[in-house]
Amino acid sequence: DLTQPDIPELIARARAAGVDIMLLSARGPDFYDLSVRELRRTGVRWKAPVVCAFFLCNSDGRYDAEALQSAFTQIGTPAPAGGPRPIIIADGVMLAAGQNKGAMLDLMVTALGKDRISRIVFVDDSERNVAAVATSQTPVPISIYHYRRVPTAVSESEARAGGKQYRLFLKSMCQTVRSALCTLEPAKAGGDHR
């Protein structure tokens, strides 16, 4: 479910004003179909330009680590720490596989052509991603917003339910494999949630 019920309306108003919408997520490329389906199910609609440049352009939008390393080298942006991982850029959605969103945004903007973009509005619920985009080399003005409507507190009932699920998992696992977790006291094994 959406964290804010009017998100589809806000995006629709932006589209009506001629704004291209591109979605950048930390999810991995294997979650593309699921992500698009869920966005559409909740009423989120977007329309984006095709992302295609001499260093990043193929028919299905899937790029392996080698292709990304080459693209980062060509645009002069450092690749994410630990080396790039496969991503997908298709139909206005980039699934960046947990990589630095600042570097991924640089890649997307360069592939789109910075002359085609007058301004970027970046909204994210993670301070780390906000900081990564703020310090990126993206050559286009960016307005950055830290979205804080995502509930982060865990209620007592959620903690109990999580503890119960964990204990069931641990019991099942310890019947089939040997693990140090099976010999720890519940609090040390992470299962001390009533």
Side-chain angles (χ1 to χ4, degrees), residues 26 29 42 59 76 106 126 138 141 155 163 171 173 179:
T42 57
S59 61
D106 288 347
S126 163
T138 305
S155 70
K171 181 179 177 183
M173 180 191 73
S179 169

Side-chain angles (χ1 to χ4, degrees), residues 83-160:
R85 293 184 298 279
I87 66 166
I88 186 169
I89 309 172
D91 301 322
V93 176
M94 175 188 244
L95 299 184
Q99 298 173 89
N100 180 305
K101 283 192 178 177
M104 293 294 130
L105 186 62
D106 288 347
L107 192 64
M108 189 184 328
V109 166
T110 306
L112 282 166
K114 63 183 178 184
D115 298 336
R116 292 176 56 189
I117 304 168
S118 60
R119 177 172 239 29
I120 295 171
V121 176
F122 179 83
V123 181
D124 202 288
D125 64 339
S126 163
E127 286 185 48
R128 182 183 68 161
N129 292 333
V130 166
V133 169
T135 58
S136 72
Q137 299 175 20
T138 305
V140 175
I142 305 175
S143 297
I144 300 173
Y145 298 92
H146 183 196
Y147 185 82
R148 300 169 60 117
R149 286 197 181 180
V150 178
T152 56
V154 177
S155 70
E156 186 64 30
S157 65
E158 291 170 322
R160 279 194 302 276

Side-chain angles (χ1 to χ4, degrees), residues 156 159-160 162-164 166-167 185-194:
E156 186 64 30
R160 279 194 302 276
K164 181 179 177 181
Y166 180 77
R167 286 190 302 280
E185 296 171 31
K188 292 181 181 169
D192 192 21
H193 294 289
R194 294 161 195 73

Side-chain angles (χ1 to χ4, degrees), residues 25-43:
S25 172
R27 291 178 173 194
D30 293 342
F31 292 100
Y32 176 79
D33 292 333
L34 170 75
S35 299
V36 169
R37 183 188 74 225
E38 287 302 301
L39 286 164
R40 289 183 177 144
R41 182 187 65 78
T42 57

